[in-house]
Amino acid sequence: MFQLTRSVTWQALTRLHDQTRHDRISDYFAADPQRYDKMSLRVGGLFLDYSKHHISPAVLDTLLELADHSALVQRRAQMFSGDIINVTENRPVLHTALRNLGEGPLMVDGQDVMPEIQRTREQIQRFSEAVRSGEWKGYDGQRIKDVVNIGIGGSDLGPNMACRALLKYRQSDLNFHFVSNVDGTHIQKVLRRLDPATTLFIVSTKTFSTQETLLNAKTARRWFVDNAGEDADVGAHFVAASTNKRAAMDFGIREENIFEFWAWVGGRYSMWSSIGLPIALAVGFEGFMAMLEGAYEMDQHFLTAPNASNMPVLMALIGIWYINFHGAETQAIVPYDQALHQLPAFLQQLDMESNGKSVDIFGQPVDYKTGPIVWGQTGSNGQHAFFQLLHQGTRYVPIDFIASLKPEPGVEDHHFALLTNMLAQANAFMEGSAKGGELDPYSCPGNRPSSTLLLDELTPRNLGALIALYEHKVFVQGVIWNINSFDQWGVQLGKRIAGEISSRLDAQSQDFDASTQGLLMRVREHFPGHASATPEPAAPRSGRGAKGKASSRTPSR
Ligand code: F6P
């Protein structure tokens, strides 16, 4: 059987690592004045500079051989055509179908999925236009002013990140809130500021069975009924994005307000589906479609460009070089753009839930490292927090710098400072402080690698392309490591045990280890009357006074 680490290319890369590990990245520039031109490329509105990497021409050629000799061509074709590549869950992986703007059918199980995707797009269009125009009325005839998305993981992070990233395109009389944590203070804090008569809840959950989301949705529903309408009014204030229509209807959501999607859309790949409804509400259906167009453009690039000029493939190979040969444990994501402050959290789930695996697609343990720890935060804030360790610490951390070039009117000087700070950091990481001089114990050694990704502007289209770029990067790495990037058994285990523990809270259970049991006893002391896994929550008070009678809104805290 094929063993990655025994392959000729892997062995060659191991040797190349030994030969080049003491090279200086800056010497590669001295040796080749064309390096920047050769190691940068543009796709649509995105420009990638990958020249500041510890990668000699021979290393790059051999990494490309690794991709050429992998199952990439076959697996990529299988993904786009709807073959079952999520083998453990026996499903196709078709988030690319959601942004497929090409002609022609896409068959899954003998059925063309494009007509239903198109139908749901039209449903999103009708609904988002009705809410944004004020045609959609709440139970007492008022228009919607606040939208609350209730969801977690992939049903929260994508729309949450995108709505914040596209803030400047947002309709100004609609406010957006995202509730994800089962910690009740999260929803309490949001509800306290809202008027139920003008609030719309989107219950976003693929399965409609996730404990956190259901508990938050029930709390929101009680708050609504206690403070405003009757049960019968729930339909005017609650809609759902889910594959589980039955459960959503049982919750009280009208069938026509359930925005469907399908089992072949993975949670962390779902912002292109109905899970993106908050994005369509925020930036309009045209903006939502522009995001899909950007992603589609990146899909076409990924499908057709040769590996040597294929942006997701190159980024994947760079990551593999550091993880598997330089021993890097983490990957930092540093957007120099405040609007992208949720991007590291989004990419963290995308990458770590996808490639945090230690068996291959045949269930055999792997003998190489897989997905890195992905983390980060915005620059220039990060410069004054964790950059010190990156400059002079003992760890080796590759960095992705991300920025958009176009300044906001009125703050051009800020944007200039932002971008020059980013360039200064990327330069400092590579050159260190010893440029032409002697190294003293306190100088920065440099030789620390980074990529720089520039967006012409942070538009819905370019955001779509950026996210699709990272999705495909993660996919390519998964293919080379021969793992299933589309299941998440570790997360499922946590969900199952949480259910078991809460159902045992009222029983003397010997089913858990002594530590869990001891801690459970301590928890029980605080829940003397607890009888079920999901207690009926006490609805937080609204800013309104008695039901249906508007009083002055409680000031936000
Ligand atoms: O985090 C694990 C996960 O299964 C994600 O893949 C998913 O996005 C999230 O839980 C929430 O699940 P659901 O959308 O079914 O509520």
Side-chain angles (χ1 to χ4, degrees), residues 152-155 204-210 213 266-268 349 353 488 491-492 495:
I152 195 164
S155 300
S204 290
T205 165
K206 180 175 171 182
T207 55
F208 222 96
S209 68
T210 303
T213 300
R268 52 194 173 274
Q349 186 207 19
E353 207 167 90
Q488 56 284 316
V491 186
Q492 314 293 30
K495 286 186 183 180

Side-chain angles (χ1 to χ4, degrees), residues 278-312:
I279 309 171
L281 286 166
V283 302
F285 185 71
E286 274 176 25
F288 181 66
M289 284 306 290
M291 193 181 78
L292 301 194
E293 280 161 22
Y296 179 66
E297 185 177 20
M298 185 56 72
D299 292 344
Q300 295 310 303
H301 164 77
F302 177 49
L303 273 170
T304 56
N307 286 341
S309 54
N310 193 309
M311 211 183 257

Side-chain angles (χ1 to χ4, degrees), residues 193-507:
R193 306 201 305 251
L194 302 180
D195 179 346
T198 55
T199 300
L200 175 78
F201 293 93
I202 306 173
V203 185
S204 290
T205 165
K206 180 175 171 182
T207 55
F208 222 96
S209 68
T210 303
Q211 186 209 33
E212 293 96 324
T213 300
L214 292 194
L215 200 46
N216 278 325
K218 281 181 193 162
T219 299
R221 192 184 195 283
R222 267 177 63 105
W223 170 83
F224 174 77
V225 174
D226 287 356
N227 292 290
E230 309 297 329
D231 272 328
D233 299 321
V234 164
H237 291 266
F238 284 78
V239 301
S242 185
T243 59
N244 189 347
K245 212 167 179 179
R246 184 68 266 154
M249 284 167 72
D250 289 347
F251 182 87
I253 294 171
R254 293 184 203 140
E255 188 171 3
E256 67 271 23
N257 296 331
I258 298 168
F259 296 80
E260 264 195 283
F261 61 111
W262 305 274
W264 39 260
V265 185
R268 52 194 173 274
Y269 298 89
S270 63
M271 62 184 270
W272 323 99
S273 71
S274 314
I275 293 292
L277 186 60
I279 309 171
L281 286 166
V283 302
F285 185 71
E286 274 176 25
F288 181 66
M289 284 306 290
M291 193 181 78
L292 301 194
E293 280 161 22
Y296 179 66
E297 185 177 20
M298 185 56 72
D299 292 344
Q300 295 310 303
H301 164 77
F302 177 49
L303 273 170
T304 56
N307 286 341
S309 54
N310 193 309
M311 211 183 257
V313 173
L314 288 165
M315 284 177 63
L317 293 173
I318 291 166
I320 284 179
W321 175 240
Y322 293 122
I323 295 161
N324 296 115
F325 299 94
H326 278 264
E329 294 285 337
T330 85
Q331 168 72 55
I333 305 286
V334 187
Y336 272 69
D337 193 318
Q338 197 53 31
L340 289 176
H341 71 100
Q342 283 285 104
L343 184 69
F346 171 81
L347 294 180
Q348 189 173 59
Q349 186 207 19
L350 174 66
D351 203 324
M352 294 176 75
E353 207 167 90
S354 296
N355 285 347
K357 312 289 163 63
S358 53
V359 296
D360 66 17
I361 52 170
F362 305 110
Q364 297 301 315
V366 297
D367 61 351
Y368 40 86
K369 290 281 168 68
T370 57
I373 295 161
V374 175
W375 63 285
Q377 69 144 298
T378 50
S380 58
N381 291 356
Q383 286 174 216
H384 302 274
F386 56 83
F387 272 37
Q388 168 57 34
L389 182 147
L390 303 187
H391 278 293
Q392 289 189 302
T394 52
R395 322 237 164 217
Y396 188 68
V397 184
I399 306 166
D400 282 359
F401 291 109
I402 303 168
S404 86
L405 290 170
K406 192 163 174 209
E408 283 304 304
V411 283
E412 288 86 350
D413 50 345
H414 288 250
H415 204 72
F416 186 70
L418 185 71
L419 296 181
T420 49
N421 263 287
M422 181 185 74
L423 297 186
Q425 288 298 325
N427 174 268
F429 279 120
M430 181 175 77
E431 308 253 32
S433 52
K435 218 175 179 178
E438 284 292 296
L439 268 183
D440 71 47
Y442 303 104
S443 26
C444 297
N447 223 20
R448 315 240 157 164
S450 66
S451 290
T452 304
L453 249 173
L454 297 176
L455 281 60
D456 290 344
E457 189 183 353
L458 185 50
T459 57
R461 184 182 179 101
N462 289 341
L463 181 70
L466 178 71
I467 301 308
L469 167 64
Y470 275 95
E471 285 180 351
H472 294 321
K473 171 204 153 168
V474 167
F475 171 75
V476 174
Q477 292 186 332
V479 170
I480 291 176
W481 289 322
N482 202 26
I483 56 178
N484 181 0
S485 302
F486 302 104
D487 58 10
Q488 56 284 316
W489 298 108
V491 186
Q492 314 293 30
L493 174 69
K495 286 186 183 180
R496 179 169 64 72
I497 297 183
E500 285 173 14
I501 288 192
S502 55
S503 66
R504 304 290 160 81
L505 202 56
D506 47 353

